[in-house]
Amino acid sequence: METGHDPARAGGTSCTVGAPAREQKGTNLDSFVTPLARASRKTDRIHDPRLVFAILAVLAVLGGVAAARILTLLDLYSHHEHLLRVFFIALFFSTILTGLTTLILRWLDRRDPLPWQLYASLLAWGAILSTGLALPANQRILRDVDRWVEKNDLIPYAGENRGFLLGAPIAGPLVEETLKGVGLLLVFFLFRSFFRSPRDGFIMGALVGAGFNWFESALYVANDYAEWGVHTYGTELGGRYGLFGFAGHALFTGLTGLGLGYAAVSKTRVRAVAWALLGYFLAVTAHLVNNGLGVAVVVILHTMGKPIPDLSAPTEENPFLSSWMSASLRSFFMFLPSVLLILYTLVRTGRWEEKTIQTELAGEPDTVISEKERARLARETHWRMRRYPWESRRHSRSIVAEQNRLAFLKYQVEQEGGDVQTDPEIVAQRARIERIRASS
């Protein structure tokens, strides 16, 4: 992992105490985007009100179109007996499973978590804008491919669903990964400081994918019921939440975010663009492999002279656990190169975070971090954050969180060429730690 930044690309921290300093400079966004604006750095474009208003206007239009498409779909469901109820039951279970995926991402983000407003925004982008805009685009591509397949009589041995088999590897990867990736690009453009390392990029990308998976999983359960009258809660939800939700969209869009994370810490523009494009390419490729598995199996069986299963037969309802285990194992080995890249990045960035915290807190006075706390920091492991047992659990968490925030804020200011002794945000953060300590 590269840790060198130039000031224009410097990664930041979700520090909220810098608001007074920015307010003195007269930012005009405090009236409607204060949580995210105060968490960002002055190098971010969120502080340009005209740009933000323009983007918000475009998002309002796109959000309206996506919401209208989703509401139209739900209205169609309401005219089918029990279908809307099946959809919302699936959505309920999908919400629980998506919550587990989000908790895992929050744990990966534990040392200095991104603002919860950003978590909610990324989940919403995947769940509403991406799915709502992808629905008509996917349907149009699938119809066109189906007509093309029929006209050219391609793979006739695949049966009635041959158009879908060939259309899914085209529509899903290109449409869905592009729409999900646009949300990440927007954050990258407005809040570059949130991409402090590739780990942050992966987390943000996986959040968008988790939001998309939340809605799509329930959608497939409802479609199965509408077509065959079969409840496929276990089959669809177990399959789509393999690897604790990282067997599909969270993994795919996580790769896009990973590329943007490496782009944010790249030292040259060429390398930044290359990393960003590579992340998107890996996401599209992984999605294509996933969606193209069906047609690949059909072609292989036909080539070997083996019987081809009836692809138009109703989907079987399997227990959740068996579907989950099967999807987890299949996805782990099918996407092994991507999984290894993500695990390698998480390990490297985790060590970088630990080293940054230790280095930046080394010169702080005892009022910020005491000798006993320094000893605990030195023994902190990669898997478990330090705790100060002489303090209450809640008080210990507060002190640790603010100390970590100070460390990453100092790192950010150093990358921007500032003075860590006089920077107003750092001074305010030290004062905050001292107040928390005094309140014990």
Side-chain angles (χ1 to χ4, degrees):
M1 166 188 165
E2 300 175 70
T3 56
H5 292 47
D6 63 42
R9 298 182 182 279
T13 180
S14 56
C15 175
T16 60
V17 298
R22 276 188 284 274
E23 286 168 355
Q24 290 171 6
K25 294 181 181 182
T27 179
N28 295 322
L29 298 176
D30 288 346
S31 60
F32 68 102
V33 286
T34 50
L36 291 180
R38 289 175 179 173
S40 69
R41 294 291 301 167
K42 52 182 170 290
T43 52
D44 294 337
R45 293 184 176 90
I46 185 64
H47 303 291
D48 182 346
R50 290 176 298 180
L51 175 64
V52 173
F53 275 121
I55 291 176
L56 288 176
V58 173
L59 289 181
V61 173
L62 294 178
V65 172
R69 186 63 186 86
I70 292 173
L71 291 174
T72 300
L73 179 67
L74 296 182
D75 181 63
L76 291 174
Y77 282 177
S78 67
H79 292 86
H80 190 291
E81 187 178 7
H82 305 308
L83 184 56
L84 200 59
R85 180 172 63 87
V86 169
F87 172 78
F88 279 113
I89 290 174
L91 200 64
F92 170 77
F93 289 117
S94 183
T95 301
I96 296 174
L97 295 169
T98 299
L100 177 60
T101 305
T102 305
L103 286 175
I104 293 173
L105 292 171
R106 193 67 171 178
W107 181 81
L108 292 174
D109 194 26
R110 64 195 179 280
R111 288 192 175 88
D112 185 28
L114 297 162
W116 70 264
Q117 293 89 352
L118 185 61
Y119 270 67
S121 300
L122 292 170
L123 286 168
W125 182 280
I128 299 174
L129 272 87
S130 295
T131 54
L133 297 175
L135 282 170
N138 281 346
Q139 290 171 354
R140 176 62 183 272
I141 292 175
L142 289 174
R143 283 196 302 266
D144 290 345
V145 171
D146 189 57
R147 285 196 293 266
W148 180 69
V149 169
E150 289 290 335
K151 180 180 178 180
N152 294 278
D153 196 28
L154 298 177
I155 55 171
Y157 49 83
E160 297 179 0
N161 280 344
R162 55 183 178 164
F164 179 82
L165 282 177
L166 287 175
I170 299 173
L174 292 178
V175 173
E176 294 169 10
E177 294 312 317
T178 299
L179 287 171
K180 289 183 291 179
V182 168
L184 288 176
L185 275 175
L186 191 61
V187 178
F188 187 81
F189 181 72
L190 290 176
F191 298 99
R192 181 72 61 85
S193 64
F194 287 157
F195 287 82
R196 188 181 59 232
S197 76
R199 171 185 290 250
D200 296 310
F202 170 74
I203 290 169
M204 286 185 271
L207 283 169
V208 175
F212 193 98
N213 196 44
W214 170 78
F215 187 87
E216 188 185 58
S217 298
L219 186 66
Y220 270 83
V221 172
N223 288 344
D224 289 345
Y225 184 79
E227 188 168 358
W228 296 301
V230 179
H231 296 91
T232 55
Y233 299 114
T235 301
E236 293 291 357
L237 295 177
R240 293 175 182 278
Y241 282 93
L243 294 177
F244 302 100
F246 294 95
H249 288 285
L251 172 69
F252 305 153
T253 318
L255 290 169
T256 301
L258 195 72
L260 290 174
Y262 275 110
V265 300
S266 295
K267 295 180 181 179
T268 65
R269 187 176 297 276
V270 172
R271 295 182 68 176
V273 172
W275 270 115
L277 292 176
L278 178 62
Y280 174 73
F281 172 78
L282 291 176
V284 170
T285 302
H287 201 154
L288 187 150
V289 170
N290 183 75
N291 286 18
L293 188 61
V295 68
V297 170
V298 167
V299 172
I300 291 172
L301 289 176
H302 177 73
T303 303
M304 297 175 62
K306 302 287 185 180
I308 298 173
D310 184 5
L311 300 176
S312 61
T315 301
E316 294 182 2
E317 167 61 346
N318 297 316
F320 174 85
L321 189 58
S322 63
S323 297
W324 184 88
M325 287 291 296
S326 175
S328 297
L329 291 173
R330 181 182 68 249
S331 299
F332 180 81
F333 290 107
M334 188 163 61
F335 304 127
L336 186 59
S338 297
V339 171
L340 292 178
L341 173 62
I342 291 170
L343 291 177
Y344 169 79
T345 300
L346 292 177
V347 171
R348 287 290 304 274
T349 54
R351 291 173 180 169
W352 173 79
E353 287 182 343
E354 294 169 10
K355 182 179 178 181
T356 299
I357 293 171
Q358 293 174 358
T359 301
E360 299 296 345
L361 294 181
E364 292 297 318
D366 290 344
T367 54
V368 172
I369 179 168
S370 66
E371 288 302 320
K372 288 196 300 182
E373 292 167 352
R374 293 180 199 277
R376 286 278 170 172
L377 174 59
R379 296 198 299 270
E380 186 174 84
T381 66
H382 179 70
W383 300 105
R384 188 173 182 179
M385 282 179 57
R386 65 192 182 279
R387 182 177 177 270
Y388 303 141
W390 53 88
E391 303 280 2
S392 68
R393 183 175 294 273
R394 183 179 178 214
H395 206 248
S396 173
R397 285 177 179 172
S398 296
I399 295 175
V400 169
E402 298 303 332
Q403 287 173 341
N404 289 353
R405 192 163 293 147
L406 172 63
F408 289 116
L409 180 58
K410 287 179 65 178
Y411 174 82
Q412 169 70 38
V413 171
E414 288 170 347
Q415 300 307 310
E416 294 175 351
D419 187 344
V420 297
Q421 298 302 322
T422 61
D423 183 88
E425 293 182 73
I426 292 180
V427 171
Q429 183 65 11
R430 290 189 181 114
R432 180 178 178 83
I433 295 173
E434 293 170 2
R435 285 196 302 272
I436 293 175
R437 193 183 300 283
S439 65
S440 61

